[in-house]
Amino acid sequence: MKQQRRFLARSSTVATEESLIHRGLIRWGALTEAEQLFCSFIILTPVWWLMGWGYQLLLWSIIVAINQILRNGTLGLKRPSLTVISIIGFGIYRAISTSINSSQIKPSFILGPLASLCCLGLIIWYLQSKNIRIRLEVITWAFSVLVIEMLVFWIVAQLILQTPHYTPNLSLFGYLTNKRERFIPGAGNGNYLLPYFPDDKVAAGFSRFSFFFPGPESLAILVGFIGLVALEVKNRSWSIALFFASAFLLLTSATRSNWIVFPLILVIRYVTTIGKGMQTWLIFSLIAVVSFVSFSLPPATDFITNTFTNTVESTGNARADSTEVRALIYQRTWETIITEPEDFIFGRGLQGPTVLPGYAPAQIGSHSFILGTLFYRSGFMGSTIFVSFWVSLILYLYRTRKDRPICSFLMILYISMTFSVMELESTVPLILIICVALTTTAKPIRGRI
C-alpha cells in the first residue's frame, strides 16, 4: 500500500510538470507574473551580459518598483526584516568605506555595492512583503534554457571555431562609463565581454570559459546551483540531462574550489536524504558549523584556504601558477591583518598592493570573501553587519522551510564553503533571491508581482 501511494504521488508530480511544460515549452499563461519575470530574467542572461552583468539587479528593482507604483500607487512593503536591514546596511557600509579610503572617488565605488548588495536586500524585502514564491519546475525550465544557450555557445566557440584569440569588447555599461577599450586584468571584468580565455587551458586543449558572466567563478557558482536544482526534478530523464550538462559546464569553468565543494555537497545531499525524508536539521547544523568556523576563527580560514589550494594535486596542476599566487595572497592578507591592528574596527576599504608585480588582480585582500572583503577591507564593523545578514537569512529559511526544496538549503552551505577562497561572486545575489522564493508546491502561490 505504501509503495502504491508513493507511485501515485510521483505520478501526480510528473503529471503536474508535464501539464506546465509541453513538448519542451512552458505554458506561459499558466505562470504567475512573478514567475514570468524570473523566467525572463534567467533566459535573457546573454542580454544582461551585453549590457553589463553587475547592474542587472538594479534594473530588475527599477522595473518592479515602476510597475507597482503605476498599478497600485505604492510599493506596499511591510516592515523590513533583519535580513533586509543588514544586507542593505552592508552595501551602504561598503560604498562609504571604499570611498573614504580612496584618494579618488569612482562612481563604481558607490554604484557597485548599491546595485548588488542593496538591491539584493530590496528584492528580498519585496518577496517577503508580498509572500511571493516561485515553483521549482518554473526555475528548472528557465535554467534548462540557459544551459542550452551555454552549450550551444561552447560547441560553436570551442569545437567549431577552436576558441580563437579575440579582443574583448566593452559591455554597454562599459561604453557609457567610458572605460578603456583595451582590457587589462583587474580593471573590472564586468565592463568587458569575456566569454572564454584562449590561453587559459583546462584539459585536452580546451579553454577556460565564463560564458555570459564576469568570470569563471561566477559561472561555477551558478551552474553548481543548477546541478542541485536538477536533482529535485521528478522527471528522471530531464533531471539526469540537466545535472550532467551543468556538471560539464562546471568543468569548463576550471574553478578548483568548486570542483572540490560540489562533490562534497552531493555527498551531504545523499546522506541527508536517505531514510525518512530530508534531514533539514542536519543540513542547518552543517551550515552553522561551517559558518562559525569560517567567520569566527581566522586561523581556520587560513587552514581552509591552504586545504583548497593544495588538496587534489591534479586540479592544482590544471593552473599551477594560480595555486602559489593565491597562497601568497592569503598569507600576506592575514599577516597584514594581525600586524596592523589599527584598521581592525572599520577595515581598510580597498585592496592592498599586488603580491605579484605586473599582475594587478593578485592584490592583498582579494580572492577570499571572508579573509579579504570582510576581515581586511570591512573590519570588525562590516563583518558583524554581514554575519547578521547571513545568520538571519539562514534562520528565515529554516522558519519557512515547509515546501522548500532541499537545494535552497544546500546552496547556502555551498556558498558558505566557498567564501574562504572566493569573493561574493556576481551571481550569488541572484541565487540567494531564488533560494528565498523557491517552493515545491505544484500550485502558484502569488498571481501578481
Side-chain angles (χ1 to χ4, degrees):
M1 183 65 81
K2 287 184 179 179
Q3 290 180 345
Q4 185 179 8
R5 282 199 298 266
R6 247 181 237 159
F7 174 77
L8 291 175
R10 190 181 303 113
S11 300
S12 175
T13 304
V14 173
T16 301
E17 290 178 355
E18 290 177 348
S19 63
L20 187 61
I21 301 168
H22 180 63
R23 294 182 179 179
L25 298 177
I26 200 162
R27 291 175 54 226
W28 197 256
L31 307 184
T32 65
E33 290 184 359
E35 288 173 338
Q36 291 174 354
L37 182 63
F38 271 78
C39 260
S40 301
F41 187 87
I42 293 171
I43 294 171
L44 294 176
T45 292
V47 177
W48 314 133
W49 175 62
L50 293 172
M51 294 176 62
W53 175 262
Y55 300 92
Q56 79 284 359
L57 289 187
L58 177 61
L59 178 62
W60 195 356
S61 302
I62 293 174
I63 291 174
V64 173
I66 292 176
N67 176 73
Q68 278 295 299
I69 292 174
L70 291 178
R71 176 179 291 171
N72 304 318
T74 178
L75 292 175
L77 299 176
K78 297 180 180 178
R79 182 177 179 180
S81 63
L82 177 60
T83 304
V84 172
I85 295 173
S86 53
I87 191 59
I88 292 178
F90 183 68
I92 296 173
Y93 181 89
R94 287 294 311 138
I96 295 175
S97 177
T98 305
S99 300
I100 289 178
N101 287 279
S102 175
S103 58
Q104 178 185 0
I105 299 179
K106 300 179 181 179
S108 59
F109 290 168
I110 299 175
L111 187 57
L114 297 182
S116 57
L117 300 172
C118 292
C119 285
L120 166 62
L122 292 174
I123 294 174
I124 291 178
W125 187 9
Y126 188 83
L127 294 175
Q128 292 178 338
S129 297
K130 303 292 184 179
N131 190 31
I132 293 175
R133 303 293 289 274
I134 309 300
R135 287 172 287 180
L136 177 67
E137 55 266 32
V138 175
I139 291 297
T140 307
W141 182 84
F143 276 149
S144 299
V145 175
L146 177 59
V147 165
I148 291 173
E149 293 171 353
M150 289 189 283
L151 288 176
V152 170
F153 189 96
W154 185 86
I155 291 172
V156 173
Q158 181 66 67
L159 300 184
I160 298 178
L161 300 180
Q162 299 294 314
T163 55
H165 285 265
Y166 65 97
T167 301
N169 291 317
L170 285 166
S171 65
L172 176 60
F173 187 83
Y175 277 115
L176 295 177
T177 53
N178 197 30
K179 301 297 181 182
R180 65 181 69 187
E181 293 188 8
R182 188 170 70 89
F183 171 71
I184 297 177
N189 288 14
N191 297 311
Y192 299 86
L193 306 179
L194 299 161
Y196 62 88
F197 300 85
D199 296 322
D200 200 349
K201 302 299 182 181
V202 180
F206 289 162
S207 296
R208 190 183 190 198
F209 274 74
S210 55
F211 293 103
F212 315 122
F213 305 97
E217 295 82 5
S218 298
L219 166 68
I221 285 287
L222 182 65
V223 295
F225 181 47
I226 295 175
L228 294 178
V229 170
L231 296 176
E232 305 288 337
V233 180
K234 302 304 180 182
N235 186 308
R236 190 59 59 87
S237 300
W238 186 10
S239 175
I240 293 174
L242 183 58
F243 175 79
F244 281 103
S246 60
F248 171 76
L249 293 173
L250 179 61
L251 290 176
T252 67
S253 73
T255 308
R256 291 163 300 162
S257 56
N258 284 267
W259 286 359
I260 297 170
V261 173
F262 186 64
L264 291 177
I265 294 296
L266 295 181
V267 171
I268 292 171
R269 185 187 189 280
Y270 174 77
V271 171
T272 55
T273 53
I274 59 176
K276 294 184 178 180
M278 181 183 70
Q279 305 297 327
T280 310
W281 64 270
L282 180 56
I283 296 177
F284 276 92
S285 298
L286 289 170
I287 293 174
V289 170
V290 170
S291 299
F292 173 78
V293 171
S294 299
F295 287 116
S296 303
L297 304 175
T301 300
D302 189 51
F303 169 77
I304 293 170
T305 57
N306 287 332
T307 301
F308 272 126
T309 53
N310 293 292
T311 302
V312 187
E313 182 179 358
S314 59
T315 56
N317 288 337
R319 289 165 53 238
D321 59 327
S322 177
T323 300
E324 297 179 0
V325 172
R326 278 177 176 265
L328 185 57
I329 291 172
Y330 300 143
Q331 178 186 345
R332 295 282 179 83
T333 301
W334 178 238
E335 288 175 351
T336 304
I337 292 173
I338 61 176
T339 57
E340 300 177 12
E342 61 271 12
D343 294 315
F344 170 75
I345 299 297
F346 298 107
R348 293 161 178 80
L350 299 169
Q351 296 174 349
T354 180
V355 301
L356 187 64
Y359 187 62
Q363 292 177 286
I364 295 175
S366 65
H367 292 78
S368 171
F369 180 70
I370 294 176
L371 201 60
T373 302
L374 294 184
F375 293 155
Y376 183 87
R377 286 185 272 165
S378 302
F380 176 79
M381 184 69 71
S383 299
T384 301
I385 297 173
F386 182 83
V387 169
S388 298
F389 160 70
W390 202 244
V391 171
S392 62
L393 176 63
I394 292 171
L395 293 176
Y396 170 75
L397 291 177
Y398 184 77
R399 289 195 304 269
T400 59
R401 62 189 179 278
K402 184 180 179 181
D403 296 328
R404 284 194 186 279
I406 190 175
C407 62
S408 292
F409 310 123
L410 289 173
M411 199 59 207
I412 298 298
L413 180 60
Y414 190 137
I415 296 171
S416 298
M417 294 175 71
T418 61
F419 270 162
S420 293
V421 291
M422 290 174 59
E423 293 286 356
L424 195 154
E425 297 299 328
S426 57
T427 50
V428 169
L430 173 62
I431 292 171
L432 295 180
I433 289 170
I434 294 175
C435 287
V436 169
L438 267 185
T439 179
T440 56
T441 183
K443 297 180 180 180
I445 301 298
R446 187 84 180 176
R448 310 182 66 148
I449 59 174

